[in-house]
Every structure is written in C-alpha cells, then in structure tokens.
C-alpha cells in the first residue's frame, strides 16, 4: 500500500515536470489511472469499513461506529506494544542487514577461490519464501529439542535456548534479517564494484591502511546505496507477517505482535472487520509518515 | 636527491609476461617519459614503481635502496592517476590534505601546506568545493596538488592529460613542465602520445610489449631511432618507412634500390648488409621534397593544407604512400605526377630485422640535453 502511494505520487510528479516542450501528462495517465484505481478502491473500502460496525461472526451488529473503532484501538494497550514491536523489528533488522550487507559486500568484492559459488550462496536466502524460511528456522535450527542450535549448545554443555518463548521478537528479527541480508549484500556489492579502483589505490599511496580505507573511502561511497537499501527494506519490513504467523503467532501474549499482525488478529481472528480496517488505516498513516521522511532524506542524499 | 633504478624488472600474471626484463636508471630531477602503444605495459611498469603492483622478479631501487617489498606509502612517491581518482565526498582541501591527515600532521601545518600547493596551482578559490563541482582541468590540478602536498621524492603520472580536450592538454603540458623545474623533483610520466613525450621529456623510454625498445633524449630518438618500431612511433607526421632492396654496401654507405627502380646512397655503416637483401628506408616527411630530378616517381593522392605547412601524400606504386612535408605555399595538386628527392644524410636504413644501421656522421643536436644538471 505504501509502495504504491509513493511511487504513483512520484510518477505523476516526474511527468508534469518534464523539461521538454511536450506535455507528457497524457502519456502517463493510463498507468497513473490504473495505479489510482488499484490503490483507491482498497483504500476507500478500508476507510469505509473502519467507521462501520462489522463483525463477521455476528451479522446482527451493523451501522456506523463513527470513530469508535479508532478510539477502541488507540486506547488498546496492545496497539502501543504492536507499534513498539514494529519499530524494534524494522530498526533492528535494518541495522543488521546494513552492517552485515556492508561486510559481505566488501568481503565478496575481494578475489578469492570459489567466489562465484560463495556469492550465489550468500544471495540464496533471498529466494526462499518467507513462510518456508520461517519454518526452516523454527523446526530445523531454533527448535529447542530437535534444532541444530540446541544440538550445538547442548554438546557444549550449555543447555538449549527456547528461542521463541524466551526472545520471540529477537528470533523473528534473526529470521527476517537472514532473508534481507542478501538484498543488502546484492545492492552494496554492486555499488562496491562501481567503486573506482584508482581511488583505493590513491588512498593506498596516501598511506591509508585497510581500516582507514574502509572508513574514509568505502563507507562514504556506500552512503547512497545504503539509503536505498534502508528505504526499500523499510517498506517491506513494516509489513512483516508470514514469519510471525508461522513461528510465534504474535505471542507469547503480544510480545511479537507487530502492526500487521495486530490487524490480522483483530480482523480475522476476532472476526472484527471494522476494527481491523481501522488498524489498517492507522498503519497506512504511520507508514506514509515514515515513507515521507525516508523519501525526503533519500532524495536529499541522492542529490548531494 | 631521488634516483630510481630498475634491474631486470619483470612482471607476469600467471604465464603471461607483461614486463619482460626492464633495466633503467633514472637520475635525480630527471623528467622521464614512458611512451608506447596501448597495452605495452607502461602503466604496469609505473604501478610497479609505485608499489601498487608486485614485482615478479628483478630489483627496484629508490635512492639506492631496494624497495621491492616496501608498501606504496612508504616509498616516498606520489602518483597522479588517469581518472584523477579524487575522493568524491571530500572537499578539494581535504582531498589534498588526506595523506597528511593520515600521517597525523597537525591541522595548522596541514592547512598551510595545502594552501601552498593551492597557490602554486591557482586552486585557492576552489578549496571548499567537492570534485563533482569542478571541470576536468580543475580536477587534474587538484590531483597534481594532492601529489605536491606530500612533497614526494618522485612524481608518477599515468596518462594524466588523456581525459582533457586538446587545448587544455597543451596548457597542462606546459604547466607540468613548469612544475618540474620549480619543484626540482624527479618525475616519471606515462603516455601513449608521442607529442607529450617529445615536448616534456628529458629522456624518453620507448616500450613495446613489455620491453624497452630505446632510451634517449627526444631528439636522439627523433633523428636516430634504434629500430623501425621507434622510427614509426616517434614523430608526427610519421616517418616514411619504405621497403627497399640493398644494391651494394661500401665504405661511404649503402646503395639501395628505391620503389620504381631508382637508387640512392645513404651514408650509414653497412658492413653486414648483403647485396640483394631487403631493408627499410626511413626518411622523415620534412626530408623528402618534390623536385624534377628526384629518384622516385609517383602520383599525388592527397594534399592536406595545414596553413604553415602542407602534407602531400604520394603514391609511388609499391609500399605505403610517401608523405612529403612541403611549405604552406606548396602548389601541389592531386593527380599530378611528380618526382621525389631525399636528403640522404638525414635518412635512416633498417636491416632485415628492423635494427637501424649506424649513421656515419652524428648530429650534435641529437645529444643535446634539455638542461644541465
Ligand atoms: N591484472 C591483470 N591480469 C592480467 N593481465 C593484465 C592485468 N593488468 C594488465 N594486464 C595486461 O597487461 C598489459 C599491459 O597493461 P598496461 O600496463 O595497462 O598497458 P598500458 O598502460 O601500456 O596501456 C595489457 O595487455 C593488459 O591486458
Ligand atoms: Mg595505461
């Protein structure tokens, strides 16, 4: 939803401000039109449902709820938790992917034997469906009885960690990061390959050792691609869902419930479409606030 | 004091030998130009001196000390790259001061040195700009400034002017020559452009496929190329290289059969030239003239009027066209049948293997040094 909102607004912008004498607006109307319908109809329906009393399991309750759904949601303590969880998840995964993505990009930019295969392997998780990835992590790796991690920690005499009950959000974060590090690596690796070798050599002649070169040449060079990674990932990370559904179902309690999952819980588990829609509207508003700031910083960064 | 000495320096990538044994002594404050066609290994050789490329075999000495295993920043060199390689996120001042900053030079001293270099290169108004906001020529200056700030023993340039337009190139050429005399530093300059080599060098090193073909002053190379390759590479317009046959070799020189059957006697030592063997006559366009009693006959194919001079290309039946450099007032017409005469004492003869035969008399000018040491 957020993605379509931002792209369409940028697209229409670009069309109007074409530098040439030709009016390009008619040319982009068809696609803008499709995007608008695509976006407007679900948005309108969501808005409409959000002010209605609409429970799937009780058709007798109908009529306008006014802002009742909203006030219920905004005063519900689980919304605050969900917001906080969303921010933690997005922030944590962003940090992890950027840090590991940068390290992998620098590493895989070097020449070493088996580079091709190694690159393929580091990219591979990106092609695994979120549901499958979560299942693999839950059952094969993090399972406290049969999991690989438990096997390792036990053979070291440390006992097993019950990942999803002791640190549910962190565990989900690990899974999501595992899926998104390849994306960051891919983008940053491409950026690394466009780094002028002579710049690195000039830095070597100037007396910069590996660490100084990383700090003074590579990190500034990766500044823009990192902003791009952050922006794109944020859009997707705000709506993480499958990983939560498959592993913790938002629990224990609501310890790993994010906004998306809360909406799902309200709308489909509790059969309250009105409440779910109101949550959706809140999510849209929040996502657009985030997107607004992101696009602004990125645009500034890309201009510089 | 900064001398650079290479002793049978070699470089190979796997089985491919890129540099095949180079011996060279570069004196203090000398301006040496490596010139050669693209891919001959000029950059590789320069990068080996810089320490950016490992030396496979042989010895590299700077100031008499072997530096094969010394890292680039400890060799006391500075390099100007073809792409300038400025740090795009740093201002001009920070670009120039980067090495000093890494070396822990205090800020005040650093700023003073950067200001100094900026003044020499007229970069002062640009110090707070980023490289992206500079023109090509200004970036070039910053790259040179970054080298100057470090006060290196030896400056290395890798085709620094090849990204500039023609007018700017001439201007920067003069500027680098001026810097060379004012900084009194040793400079090694790589280019594929023989005009840059001729105009800037104290000594030119002509490279081909990783081997030195000849080392000498510009005029030495111009007048006495050691072989056909150097003869064809140095000089613009190119030297005429005419396939000929040896008729006889005597004490005064060699008599050759020219295209069309005419003969000419060239005063070179020709003891080992067998009668009837193939040879190459090398004669510069300015040493060929259109004259009624010349030994070569041909037809004018192309005439290029350059204003001050005229280049006339003459088809002599066999071999390549012969280029004649005539005066700007030449009345040569395309299609006219003409005869060509040669200044035989300015001509070179190359044997079957392409090596030059030693001339009987040597011009004093060829051994002229640009400046006394
Ligand atoms: N890393 C490398 N691996 C293999 N061959 C290389 C490498 N770098 C350069 N070469 C080869 O070395 C030769 C000389 O290159 P270079 O020194 O750049 O030539 P120049 O500067 O004279 O144009 C070229 O034929 C090039 O293909
Ligand atoms: Mg080169």
């Amino acid at each position: 939803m957020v993605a379509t909102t931002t792209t369409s607004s940028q697209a229409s912008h670009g069309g109007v401000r074409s530098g040439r004498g030709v009016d390009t607006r008619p040319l982009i109307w068809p696609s803008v039109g499709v995007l608008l319908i695509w976006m407007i109809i679900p948005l309108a329906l969501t808005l409409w449902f959000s002010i209605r009393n609409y429970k799937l399991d009780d058709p007798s309750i109908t009529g306008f709820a006014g802002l009742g759904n909203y006030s219920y949601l905004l005063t519900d303590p689980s919304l605050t938790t969900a917001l906080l969880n969303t921010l933690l998840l997005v922030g944590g995964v962003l940090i992890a992917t950027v840090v590991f993505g940068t390290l992998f990009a620098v590493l895989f930019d070097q020449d070493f034997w088996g580079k091709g295969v190694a690159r393929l392997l580091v990219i591979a998780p990106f092609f695994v469906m979120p549901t499958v990835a979560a299942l693999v992590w839950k059952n094969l790796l993090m399972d406290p009885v049969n999991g690989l991690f438990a096997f390792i920690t036990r053979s070291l005499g440390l006992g097993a960690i019950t990942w999803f009950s002791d640190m549910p959000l962190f565990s989900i974060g690990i899974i999501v990061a595992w899926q998104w590090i390849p994306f960051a690596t891919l983008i940053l690796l491409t950026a690394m390959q466009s780094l002028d070798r002579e710049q690195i050599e000039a830095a070597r002649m100037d007396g910069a050792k590996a660490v100084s070169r990383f700090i003074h040449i590579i990190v500034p060079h990766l500044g823009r691609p990192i902003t791009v990674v952050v922006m794109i990932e944020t859009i997707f990370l705000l709506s993480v869902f499958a990983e939560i559904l498959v592993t913790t179902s938002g629990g224990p309690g609501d310890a790993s419930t994010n906004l998306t999952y809360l909406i799902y819980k309200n709308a489909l588990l509790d059969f309250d479409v009105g409440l779910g829609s109101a949550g959706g509207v809140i999510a849209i508003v929040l996502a657009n606030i985030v997107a607004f700031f992101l696009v602004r910083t990125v645009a500034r960064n890309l201009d510089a | 004091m900064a001398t650079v000495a290479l002793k049978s320096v070699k470089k190979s990538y796997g089985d491919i030998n890129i540099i095949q044994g180079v011996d060279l002594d570069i004196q203090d404050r000398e301006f040496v130009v490596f010139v050669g066609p693209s891919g001959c290994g000029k950059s590789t050789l320069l990068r080996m001196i810089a320490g950016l490329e490992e030396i496979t075999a042989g010895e590299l000495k700077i100031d008499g000390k072997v530096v094969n295993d010394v890292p680039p920043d400890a060799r006391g060199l500075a390099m100007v790259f073809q792409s300038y390689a400025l740090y795009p996120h740093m201002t001009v001042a920070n670009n120039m001061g980067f090495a000093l900053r890494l070396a822990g030079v205090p800020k005040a001293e650093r700023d003073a040195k950067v200001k100094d270099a900026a003044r020499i290169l007229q970069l002062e108004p640009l110090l707070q700009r980023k490289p992206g906001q500079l023109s090509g020529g200004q970036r070039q200056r910053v790259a040179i400034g970054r080298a100057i700030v470090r006060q290196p023993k030896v400056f290395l340039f890798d085709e620094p002017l090849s990204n500039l337009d023609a007018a700017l190139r001439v201007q920067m050429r003069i500027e680098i020559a001026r810097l060379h005399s004012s900084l009194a530093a040793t400079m090694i300059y790589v280019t594929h452009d023989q005009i840059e080599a001729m105009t800037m060098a104290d000594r030119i090193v002509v490279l081909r496929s990783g081997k030195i073909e000849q080392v000498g002053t510009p005029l030495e190379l111009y007048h006495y190329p050691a072989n056909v390759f150097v003869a064809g590479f140095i000089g613009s317009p190119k030297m005429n290289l005419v396939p000929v046959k040896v008729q006889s070799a005597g004490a005064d020189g060699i008599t050759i059969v020219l295209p069309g059957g005419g003969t000419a006697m060239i005063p070179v030592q020709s003891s080992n030239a067998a009668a009837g063997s193939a040879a190459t006559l090398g004669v510069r366009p300015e040493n060929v003239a259109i004259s009624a009693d010349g030994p070569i006959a041909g037809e004018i194919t192309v005439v290029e009027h350059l204003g001050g001079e005229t280049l006339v290309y003459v088809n002599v039946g066999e071999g390549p066209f012969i280029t004649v450099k005539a005066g700007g007032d030449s009345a040569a017409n395309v299609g006219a049948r003409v005869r060509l005469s040669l200044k035989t004492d300015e001509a070179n003869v190359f044997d079957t293997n392409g090596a030059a035969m030693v001339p009987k008399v040597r011009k004093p000018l060829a051994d002229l040094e640009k400046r006394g040491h």
Side-chain angles (χ1 to χ4, degrees):
Chain A
M1 191 48 109
V2 186
T4 49
T5 326
T6 49
T7 25
S8 66
S9 72
Q10 280 186 334
S12 54
H13 236 83
V16 177
R17 282 198 276 111
S18 164
R20 315 226 177 82
V22 185
D23 187 2
T24 53
R25 269 172 295 188
L27 299 177
I28 60 166
W29 278 341
S31 52
V32 171
V34 169
L35 277 173
L36 272 178
I37 294 169
W38 193 281
M39 197 186 77
I40 290 291
I41 291 177
L43 183 65
L45 281 175
T46 310
L47 280 170
W48 171 247
F49 290 143
S50 73
I51 52 170
R52 302 277 301 176
N53 287 320
Y54 186 177
K55 284 186 70 107
L56 291 177
D57 58 349
D58 192 349
S60 65
I61 304 175
T62 52
F64 280 101
L67 294 177
N69 286 327
Y70 289 99
S71 63
Y72 178 86
L73 259 185
L74 290 170
T75 50
D76 181 4
S78 55
L79 180 76
T80 334
T81 321
L83 276 177
L84 192 67
N85 285 341
T86 308
L87 287 184
L88 281 176
L89 193 62
V90 172
V93 173
L94 278 181
I95 292 172
T97 51
V98 166
V99 168
F100 282 99
T102 309
L103 289 181
F104 282 139
V106 173
L107 191 69
F108 287 101
D109 189 45
Q110 314 289 317
D111 256 324
F112 57 88
W113 190 84
K115 186 166 76 171
V117 176
R119 278 187 185 175
L120 193 68
L121 286 178
V122 84
I123 304 302
F126 198 46
F127 300 109
V128 179
M129 281 177 284
T131 328
V132 178
L135 279 173
V136 167
W137 276 83
K138 184 187 182 188
N139 296 328
L140 296 183
L141 299 174
M142 289 175 156
D143 190 282
V145 181
N146 303 314
L148 181 68
F149 295 167
F151 171 77
I152 293 171
T153 47
R154 258 202 309 272
S155 50
L156 294 172
L158 296 170
I161 304 168
T162 46
W163 289 91
F164 292 107
S165 32
D166 289 350
M167 37 184 129
L169 196 61
F170 183 71
S171 306
I172 290 168
I174 292 178
I175 300 173
V176 178
W178 178 80
Q179 293 179 78
W180 281 96
I181 285 171
F183 174 74
T185 307
L186 201 63
I187 300 275
L188 298 179
L189 183 61
T190 326
M192 276 305 289
Q193 286 166 343
S194 74
L195 174 59
D196 181 9
R197 298 290 118 169
E198 291 197 338
Q199 246 178 63
I200 293 285
E201 288 173 349
R204 273 177 70 194
M205 300 281 304
D206 274 346
K209 305 284 175 229
V211 175
S212 316
R213 289 203 296 270
F214 182 75
I215 296 171
H216 294 294
I217 312 292
I218 293 177
V219 169
H221 174 77
L222 291 181
R224 285 180 195 191
I226 285 177
T227 3
V228 171
V229 165
V230 167
M231 183 173 83
I232 294 177
E233 282 194 10
T234 305
I235 289 164
F236 286 93
L237 293 179
L238 280 170
S239 57
V240 165
F241 176 75
E243 293 84 344
I244 300 176
L245 180 72
V246 169
T247 54
T248 62
S249 300
D254 46 15
S256 59
T257 299
N258 68 354
L259 214 48
T260 327
Y261 198 81
L262 184 69
I263 295 165
Y264 162 77
K265 216 155 68 173
N266 284 333
L268 292 169
L269 295 187
D270 302 341
F271 300 106
D272 194 333
V273 176
L275 214 50
S277 299
V281 172
I282 293 173
I284 293 169
V285 170
L286 284 176
N288 273 292
I289 292 172
V290 174
F292 173 76
F293 284 109
L294 269 173
V295 169
R296 226 177 49 166
T297 39
V298 169
R300 196 179 304 144
N301 224 316
L302 295 184
D303 274 345
Chain B
M1 270 302 288
T3 61
V4 179
L6 293 93
K7 280 222 174 51
S8 18
V9 165
K10 293 192 177 108
K11 173 80 194 177
S12 25
Y13 292 108
D15 300 338
I16 313 157
N17 300 322
I18 303 292
I19 302 292
Q20 328 197 358
V22 164
D23 288 281
L24 184 66
D25 274 306
I26 297 170
Q27 263 124 55
D28 185 32
R29 297 190 213 170
E30 201 172 14
F31 196 122
V32 170
V33 174
F34 293 172
V35 71
S38 271
C40 69
K42 310 176 294 285
S43 299
T44 308
L45 191 56
L46 192 76
R47 292 160 52 80
M48 284 159 82
I49 297 174
L52 296 172
E53 213 73 71
E54 241 176 86
I55 297 171
T56 313
E59 230 172 46
L60 169 68
K61 286 185 187 172
I62 296 174
D63 277 343
K65 272 200 246 23
V66 179
V67 292
N68 283 35
D69 299 319
V70 176
D73 56 302
R75 294 190 183 188
L77 317 170
M79 182 151 166
V80 177
F81 292 85
Q82 181 172 1
S83 68
Y84 314 142
L86 301 177
Y87 313 124
H89 51 279
M90 295 185 200
T91 61
V92 167
N94 287 341
N95 259 285
M96 288 166 68
F98 187 56
L100 301 180
R101 180 167 146 214
L102 288 174
V105 174
K107 183 155 173 30
E109 189 185 337
R110 211 160 72 203
D111 288 348
K113 284 189 170 164
V114 168
K115 275 240 165 56
D116 252 10
R119 189 176 37 75
I120 297 173
L121 293 163
Q122 289 127 42
L123 283 171
E124 279 157 316
L126 307 177
L127 278 178
Q128 292 317 314
R129 292 219 201 149
K130 297 257 177 83
Q133 303 163 312
L134 303 178
S135 71
Q138 290 168 333
R139 280 181 217 183
Q140 179 61 73
R141 272 169 216 276
V142 176
I144 296 175
R146 187 169 65 180
I148 291 179
V149 166
R150 296 180 47 203
Q151 296 174 326
K153 293 192 271 191
V154 183
F155 284 88
L156 309 175
F157 295 89
D158 190 356
E159 312 218 11
L161 306 186
S162 55
N163 292 338
L164 302 180
D165 63 58
L168 209 50
R169 211 176 300 165
V170 173
Q171 190 190 329
M172 284 308 292
R173 214 161 71 195
I174 296 168
E175 195 140 334
I176 292 175
R178 187 177 61 85
L179 272 178
H180 175 238
S181 56
S182 70
L183 295 174
T186 309
M187 291 189 175
I188 306 177
Y189 187 106
V190 162
T191 180
H192 65 268
D193 179 357
Q194 57 91 24
I195 296 186
E196 272 174 37
M198 290 296 286
T199 50
M200 303 171 81
D202 290 330
R203 266 198 311 159
I204 298 178
V205 177
V206 183
L207 287 167
R208 177 200 194 184
S209 319
K211 279 208 265 287
I212 293 187
E213 291 285 320
Q214 192 175 3
V215 181
T217 64
L219 290 183
E220 191 179 350
L221 263 53
Y222 189 81
H223 292 294
Y224 304 111
N227 52 48
V228 174
F229 177 77
V230 177
F233 195 79
I234 298 287
S236 171
K238 275 175 64 139
M239 181 186 258
N240 293 301
L241 294 167
V242 187
V244 294
K245 281 230 151 34
V246 177
Q247 189 179 58
S248 64
D252 294 340
I254 190 169
T255 307
I256 52 172
V257 184
L258 299 164
T263 60
M265 209 279 290
I266 314 287
V268 292
Q269 290 165 24
S270 53
S271 45
N272 54 0
S277 65
T280 305
L281 169 72
V283 57
R284 299 242 171 239
E286 63 266 32
N287 297 327
V288 189
I290 297 172
S291 77
D293 55 353
I296 309 175
E299 182 185 333
I300 297 180
T301 313
V302 177
V303 177
E304 291 176 347
H305 290 284
L306 301 179
E309 61 194 34
T310 306
L311 298 179
V312 183
Y313 298 89
V314 181
N315 184 351
V316 293
E318 46 192 296
F321 295 170
I322 291 184
T323 315
V324 181
K325 194 192 264 184
D329 53 356
S330 166
N333 278 327
V334 172
R337 297 210 54 86
V338 291
R339 295 194 78 81
L340 302 176
S341 66
L342 315 167
K343 267 195 201 168
T344 51
D345 53 349
E346 301 270 4
N348 300 278
V349 184
F350 305 95
D351 65 19
T352 349
N353 301 323
M357 299 179 186
V358 182
K360 291 272 181 201
V361 208
R362 214 173 146 84
K363 286 188 170 188
L365 202 58
D367 303 309
L368 184 77
E369 297 247 343
K370 237 187 197 168
R371 67 205 152 73
H373 278 286

